[in-house]
């Protein structure tokens, strides 16, 4: 039995099967349900209004349930249209259904725009990225309908996905994508602008003075971390959520929204690398390199689409260019050390400004140890075999290039300092100069990441050299004083000869003190250690001599009590220029006699 009476046109054909009648009945039900919604929510005013109208949205918080029902009804209508099209493509109901679907799609497009526009703050990429959790990550292919956190933002994202799915499946992909790209691209551009990043051409960058260049690089460093970790990541998350069922659409949207901005972001470092290369720029250049290097895994994940491969390639090219620039700058810095040709003598044998400058520079370089390991190229540097104490195993194989290169920079410095030590006419002062400068180098190594880079063996090896310099200094500076009282220990000199020895000691001591009164040992620990070492040697020699001879009767000759010699040295190595002229002469009394012969060694 037929469920409906066919028209004359249909009567001429074969009778429709029951399934065809059911499909048309289902279509009619869908049409009526859709018309019910359109009459309630869509008026002619709504349809003619511009896309930015602010009338109450069917997807507002209070109407969200109705909005989702509306999408379900449209999906049912689309399904019914497909069913009738298969069995009876000439059904008159299809025209009515298509017109109704077109009306619904126009309204749904406006709703899509409204949701995107009115929720710019909730859908800010940075906020989306921060809120994301592993189960909320569409790149793990988990449907957002059941796995997003329960929040207003999650509801908004679900609404957008439902609308996008409905429009795309109904053949309105172009309208959906056009609206999405327009809104989201403007958000990315505005966000970059707010971060203060300027898209400067290479020509403009070349004309910047260093202070302006430094400001732009710092802005880039601050902006890039936020842009990659939050802005682009959030946009990728949002695209993947909204177009979860249409991966190709998600890729197209994300690519067009972010590609130009991302390429601009990573072209800037290449411009930096092409600028005039000077040593003072190396640390900001390393900061740029390190930032990209640290972010590279995120960049590769976020821009994993084939259509965004240009971003990955540009980031890699930036690293390559920056790496070449850093190598050049290190080489230039090394050359500047070797070329330093000042002939000025550092007063008192103190630490040379070149030593301070170079070590501060190298200390900062050591803080970039990991980045430098991927930047510095291998080079066959002629380092002494025992330069690292004969074993570099404690610094690790991965750091060997960095260790060798930084160790070489320090060696170039030490060779230059050795050359400058020969400017001093006084040999003892030249040794003190060498000891002061090497000790400064070691102290900078000990207190910084250089200790990790160079290793404890390097420190111990060079500390031994400081001791050797100080021993040579003592021998030259105080040798005459010490030998003035020395004898073979078994022979007792005649009084007049012994007195001459003591006079020679007094004169030699005072002359040595006078010469060294302007000399300096900047490090307090080394200064006290050196004074103690000299005092012990002087006290030992003087005590032996005073004990051996009857000096208590030589009051016109005796000027120093052995055990107090260390006190006379208290102002030494401070560069004060004081002399021993204020030292009181010794008057041998009974109590003083006991002081005189107290052992000071």
């Amino acid at each position: 039995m037929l469920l409906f009476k066919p028209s004359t046109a249909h009567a001429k054909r074969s009778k429709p099967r029951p399934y065809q009648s059911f499909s048309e009945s289902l279509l009619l039900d869908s049409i009526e349900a859709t018309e019910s919604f359109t009459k309630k929510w869509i008026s002619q005013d709504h349809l003619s209004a511009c896309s930015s109208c602010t009338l109450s949205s069917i997807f507002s918080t209070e109407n969200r349930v109705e909005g989702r029902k509306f999408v379900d009804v449209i999906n049912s209508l689309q399904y019914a249209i497909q069913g009738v099209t298969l069995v009876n493509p000439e059904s008159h109901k299809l025209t009515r259904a298509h017109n109704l679907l077109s009306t619904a799609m126009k309204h749904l497009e406006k709703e899509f725009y409204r949701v995107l526009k009115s929720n710019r703050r909730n859908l800010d990429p940075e906020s989306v990225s921060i809120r994301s959790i592993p189960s909320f990550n569409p790149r793990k292919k988990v449907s957002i309908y059941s796995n997003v956190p329960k929040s207003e933002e999650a509801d908004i994202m679900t609404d957008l996905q439902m609308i996008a799915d409905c429009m795309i499946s109904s053949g309105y992909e172009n309208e959906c994508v056009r609206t999405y790209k327009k809104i989201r691209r403007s958000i990315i551009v505005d966000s970059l602008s707010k971060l203060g990043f300027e898209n400067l051409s290479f020509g403009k960058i070349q004309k910047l003075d260093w202070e302006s260049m430094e400001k732009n690089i710092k802005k880039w460093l601050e902006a890039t971390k936020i842009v990659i970790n939050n802005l682009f990541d959030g946009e990728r998350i949002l695209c993947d959520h909204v177009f979860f069922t249409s991966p190709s659409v998600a890729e197209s949207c994300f690519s067009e929204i972010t590609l130009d901005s991302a390429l601009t972001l990573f072209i800037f470092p290449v411009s930096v690398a092409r600028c005039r290369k000077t040593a003072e720029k190396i640390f900001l250049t390393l900061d740029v390199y390190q930032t990209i290097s640290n972010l590279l895994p995120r960049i590769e994940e976020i821009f994993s689409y084939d259509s965004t491969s240009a971003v990955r390639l540009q980031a890699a090219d930036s690293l390559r260019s920056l790496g070449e620039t850093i190598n050049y700058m290190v080489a230039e810095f090394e050359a500047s050390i070797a070329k330093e040709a000042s002939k000025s003598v550092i007063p008192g044998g103190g630490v040379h400004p070149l030593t301070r400058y170079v070590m501060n520079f190298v200390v900062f370089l050591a803080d970039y140890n990991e980045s430098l390991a991927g930047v510095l190229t291998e080079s066959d540097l002629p380092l002494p075999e025992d330069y690292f104490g004969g074993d570099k195993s404690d610094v690790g194989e991965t750091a060997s290039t960095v260790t060798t290169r930084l160790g070489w920079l320090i060696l170039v410095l030490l060779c230059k300092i050795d050359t400058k030590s020969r400017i001093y006419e006084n040999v003892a002062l030249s040794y003190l100069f060498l000891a002061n400068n090497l000790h400064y180098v070691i102290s900078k190594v000990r207190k910084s990441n250089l200790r990790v880079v160079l290793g404890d063996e390097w420190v111990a090896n060079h500390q031994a050299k400081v001791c050797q310099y100080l021993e040579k200094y003592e021998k030259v500076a105080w040798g005459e004083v010490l030998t003035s009282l020395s004898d073979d220990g078994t022979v007792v000199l005649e009084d007049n000869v012994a007195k001459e020895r003591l006079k020679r000691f007094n004169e030699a001591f005072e002359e040595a003190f006078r010469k060294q009164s302007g000399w300096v040992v900047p490090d307090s620990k080394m200064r006290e250690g050196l004074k103690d070492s000299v005092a012990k040697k002087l006290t030992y020699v003087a005590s032996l001599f005073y004990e051996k001879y009857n000096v208590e009767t030589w009051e016109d000759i005796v000027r120093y009590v052995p055990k107090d010699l260390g006190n006379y040295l208290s102002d030494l190595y401070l560069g004060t220029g004081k002399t021993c002229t204020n030292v009181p002469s010794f008057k041998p009394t009974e109590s003083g006699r006991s002081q005189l012969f107290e052992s000071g060694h």
Side-chain angles (χ1 to χ4, degrees):
M1 178 178 177
L2 292 174
L3 296 178
F4 68 99
K5 183 177 180 180
S7 64
T8 304
H10 284 84
K12 293 179 182 179
R13 299 192 199 88
S14 60
K15 296 180 180 181
R17 291 175 294 175
Y19 181 76
Q20 290 178 314
S21 299
F22 174 76
S23 297
E24 291 199 341
S25 176
L26 182 63
L27 178 59
L28 186 60
D29 289 341
S30 295
I31 289 172
E32 291 175 352
T34 305
E35 286 179 337
S36 175
F37 263 93
T38 57
K39 287 176 183 178
K40 180 177 180 181
W41 289 99
I42 307 176
S43 68
Q44 290 303 312
D45 291 337
H46 279 74
L47 292 174
S48 61
C50 67
S51 60
S52 59
C53 60
T54 57
L55 295 171
S56 179
S57 170
I58 195 173
F59 283 93
S60 62
T61 303
E62 60 273 15
N63 298 324
R64 178 168 284 120
V65 174
E66 285 289 287
R68 293 180 178 180
K69 286 182 180 178
F70 182 47
V71 171
D72 288 341
V73 167
I74 295 174
N75 285 333
S76 297
L77 176 62
Q78 171 65 12
Y79 177 78
I81 289 173
Q82 292 174 350
V84 172
T85 300
L86 287 173
V87 297
N88 188 10
E90 297 184 10
S91 171
H92 68 281
K93 294 183 179 66
L94 287 175
T95 301
R96 180 183 173 190
H98 281 299
N99 289 337
L100 185 59
L101 182 63
S102 177
T103 299
M105 283 296 111
K106 288 179 181 178
H107 184 70
L108 206 56
E109 182 182 352
K110 297 180 188 300
E111 290 293 339
F112 194 56
Y113 182 94
R114 285 194 191 101
V115 174
L116 286 168
K117 187 78 172 179
S118 62
N119 291 283
R120 284 175 68 104
R121 179 174 298 179
N122 288 329
L123 297 177
D124 173 72
E126 184 175 353
S127 301
V128 171
S129 178
I130 292 172
R131 286 194 302 269
S132 66
I133 56 175
S135 60
F136 193 44
N137 189 341
R139 294 197 282 275
K140 294 188 180 296
K141 302 301 180 184
V142 180
S143 174
I144 66 167
Y145 287 129
S146 59
N147 290 282
V148 294
K150 301 302 180 183
S151 64
E152 176 63 18
E153 293 81 3
D155 282 333
I156 293 168
M157 293 174 74
T158 301
D159 292 343
L160 289 171
Q161 192 200 33
M162 292 182 71
I163 296 172
D165 285 349
C166 183
M167 292 184 70
I168 292 170
S169 64
S170 299
Y172 287 79
E173 177 182 318
N174 290 339
E175 292 80 357
C176 176
V177 169
R178 181 178 62 244
T179 299
Y180 185 86
K181 289 177 180 177
K182 179 181 178 181
I183 298 294
R184 298 310 300 175
R185 187 185 291 113
S186 68
I187 291 175
I188 293 293
V189 172
D190 289 347
S191 297
L192 281 171
S193 178
K194 288 177 182 177
L195 288 171
F197 174 69
E198 294 182 66
N199 180 17
L200 299 174
S201 66
F202 175 67
K204 288 183 179 179
I205 291 175
Q206 284 284 68
K207 294 177 182 178
L208 292 176
D209 57 45
W210 175 238
E211 185 177 349
S212 300
M213 184 67 171
E214 190 174 9
K215 288 179 181 178
N216 277 279
I217 292 175
K218 287 180 178 179
K219 283 182 181 179
W220 184 91
L221 290 170
E222 293 173 3
T224 300
K225 294 172 186 176
I226 297 173
V227 168
I228 298 300
N229 286 322
N230 302 126
L231 194 64
F232 289 152
D233 183 59
E235 193 58 44
R236 174 68 191 265
I237 290 172
L238 187 62
C239 276
D240 286 353
H241 270 79
V242 173
F243 302 106
F244 182 78
T245 59
S246 304
S248 62
V249 176
E251 177 178 352
S252 171
C253 286
F254 179 73
S255 177
E256 289 198 32
I257 290 168
T258 63
L259 188 62
D260 288 345
S261 296
L263 288 175
T264 299
L265 191 70
F266 293 116
I267 287 173
F268 176 78
V270 177
S271 298
V272 172
R274 291 169 60 190
C275 288
R276 194 170 74 87
K277 302 169 182 64
T278 55
E280 69 269 14
K281 297 178 182 178
I282 191 170
F283 297 109
L284 274 178
T285 306
L286 274 165
D287 286 334
V288 175
Y289 180 93
Q290 188 167 269
T291 296
I292 299 176
S293 181
N294 291 341
L295 290 172
L296 197 59
R298 300 284 290 136
I299 294 168
E300 292 176 344
E301 179 189 7
I302 295 168
F303 294 94
S304 59
Y305 292 131
D306 290 341
S307 59
T308 56
S309 62
V311 178
R312 303 194 302 273
L313 292 173
Q314 185 60 59
D317 185 56
S318 296
L319 284 178
R320 180 190 58 76
S321 297
L322 291 166
E324 291 175 355
T325 298
I326 291 165
N327 265 294
Y328 180 88
M329 288 177 173
V330 172
E332 281 295 294
F333 177 69
E334 177 189 328
S336 71
I337 303 172
K339 292 175 183 176
E340 205 282 336
S342 65
K343 299 293 184 180
S344 57
V345 174
I346 303 304
V351 179
H352 199 285
L354 180 66
T355 304
R356 297 183 188 277
Y357 171 69
V358 171
M359 286 311 300
N360 286 334
F361 192 96
V362 177
V363 163
F364 282 127
L365 278 181
D367 290 336
Y368 295 90
N369 181 19
E370 293 183 5
S371 294
L372 287 172
V375 172
L376 295 179
T377 54
E378 289 285 349
S379 55
D380 187 16
L381 299 172
L383 288 167
E385 290 184 5
D386 63 342
Y387 186 64
F388 293 98
D391 183 11
K392 288 192 284 184
S393 61
D394 59 332
V395 296
E397 292 183 5
T398 57
S400 61
T401 303
V402 180
T403 299
T404 302
R405 197 65 178 275
L406 298 191
W408 173 255
L409 288 176
I410 294 175
L411 181 59
V412 173
L413 166 66
L414 294 178
C415 290
K416 179 60 67 172
I417 292 300
D418 183 73
T419 300
K420 291 184 179 298
S421 72
R422 298 168 194 169
I423 299 174
Y424 293 98
E425 294 180 0
N426 189 302
V427 177
L429 184 55
S430 69
Y431 282 126
L432 188 64
F433 172 77
L434 288 170
N436 279 329
N437 281 268
L438 183 52
H439 181 81
Y440 180 85
V441 169
I442 295 170
S443 67
K444 297 295 284 188
V445 171
R446 278 198 175 114
K447 298 174 184 177
S448 69
N449 197 45
L450 273 173
R451 184 163 190 165
V452 177
V453 176
L454 300 177
D456 289 334
E457 285 289 329
W458 184 95
V459 173
N461 191 32
H462 286 77
Q463 185 59 54
K465 291 183 179 180
V466 172
C467 294
Q468 290 172 11
Y469 288 143
L470 291 176
E471 287 174 3
K472 290 178 180 179
Y473 153 76
E474 289 184 19
K475 184 177 181 180
V476 177
W478 296 98
E480 186 176 347
V481 182
L482 295 171
T483 57
S484 64
L485 293 180
S486 300
D487 54 38
D488 62 8
T490 58
V491 178
V492 177
L493 302 173
E494 294 181 4
D495 280 359
N496 62 327
V497 177
K499 287 179 180 180
E500 285 301 318
R501 286 284 187 92
L502 187 56
K503 287 179 181 179
R504 194 169 66 189
F505 170 80
N506 292 340
E507 292 170 357
F509 179 77
E510 291 169 7
E511 177 63 16
F513 193 100
R514 183 188 64 77
K515 284 183 178 179
Q516 300 177 62
S517 61
W519 297 4
V520 295
V521 177
D523 183 81
S524 59
K525 187 175 180 180
M526 190 171 96
R527 181 170 62 248
E528 295 305 316
L530 181 57
K531 284 194 291 189
D532 185 60
S533 175
V534 173
K536 284 181 178 179
K537 289 180 174 66
L538 291 174
T539 301
Y540 176 74
V541 172
S543 295
L544 287 179
F545 186 88
Y546 280 37
E547 289 173 4
K548 189 173 183 179
Y549 298 98
N550 189 25
V551 299
E552 67 269 20
T553 62
W554 306 348
E555 58 181 270
D556 58 330
I557 300 176
V558 175
R559 301 185 63 179
Y560 304 104
V561 177
K563 78 182 192 69
D564 287 340
L565 284 171
N567 296 331
Y568 301 139
L569 302 178
S570 60
D571 291 329
L572 210 56
Y573 309 126
L574 294 173
T576 60
K578 291 184 178 180
T579 66
C580 294
T581 55
N582 296 324
V583 175
S585 60
F586 175 72
K587 300 292 185 181
T589 62
E590 195 60 37
S591 59
R593 202 176 159 203
S594 63
Q595 285 185 338
L596 179 63
F597 292 104
E598 261 183 42
S599 176
H601 55 86

